[in-house]
Amino acid sequence: MELDYQEIGRNVRQQRLSKGLKQKELAELIQVSDQHISHIENAHTQVSLPTLIAIANALQTDCNTLLGTTLTGAKQSILQQRLLDIMMDMDTKKIELMVQFCSMLSKFDLEE
């Protein structure tokens, strides 16, 4: 699963603006250059995990908010792979039951 650095940058910008901070002010809070913040927000650089955490802390938010749907997509991909791994050890009958179960489950509207 690839990270969507454009979305991350948009989320950083949105959170920064909602706190009334300029790029330079955020940069000073996390001890990087304002140019680095600009590059993150415009997806010209891939933000590192330590920097993402520092930004989240400075903006009093969590990394999930900054990652946005990138995190949701990664979670779905991981769960799909786990399901495939489980099914690899099943015989045909069990796989048929799994398909029936998934078909029934797909008809329900589950709240997250």
Side-chain angles (χ1 to χ4, degrees):
M1 177 86 214
E2 291 289 320
L3 292 177
D4 184 346
Y5 290 101
Q6 289 182 339
E7 180 183 10
I8 294 168
R10 283 191 303 270
N11 292 339
V12 169
R13 178 180 290 121
Q14 179 185 26
Q15 291 296 312
R16 176 180 59 77
L17 293 174
S18 75
K19 301 293 184 199
L21 292 174
K22 296 182 179 184
Q23 287 180 343
K24 184 173 183 163
E25 294 169 322
L26 176 57
E28 289 172 359
L29 287 172
I30 66 167
Q31 300 176 343
V32 298
S33 70
D34 52 332
Q35 185 177 18
H36 189 58
I37 296 298
S38 175
H39 285 198
I40 290 169
E41 289 184 358
N42 292 301
H44 295 300
T45 190
Q46 296 180 354
V47 63
S48 68
L49 181 58
T51 301
L52 186 70
I53 292 168
I55 291 170
N57 289 336
L59 297 175
Q60 299 175 338
T61 190
D62 56 63
C63 289
N64 295 352
T65 300
L66 300 180
L67 289 169
T69 59
T70 295
L71 183 63
T72 305
K75 181 177 181 182
Q76 183 172 350
S77 178
I78 290 167
L79 290 173
Q80 287 172 341
Q81 186 58 52
R82 282 181 55 200
L83 186 57
L84 287 173
D85 290 344
I86 291 168
M87 289 176 54
M88 291 299 293
D89 294 331
M90 291 182 177
D91 61 27
T92 304
K93 257 190 169 166
K94 288 181 181 178
I95 293 173
E96 288 173 352
L97 284 172
M98 179 67 91
V99 169
Q100 289 175 9
F101 175 77
C102 290
S103 293
M104 288 187 299
L105 186 60
S106 69
K107 295 176 185 175
F108 289 96
D109 185 25
L110 303 176
E111 292 183 30
E112 293 184 30

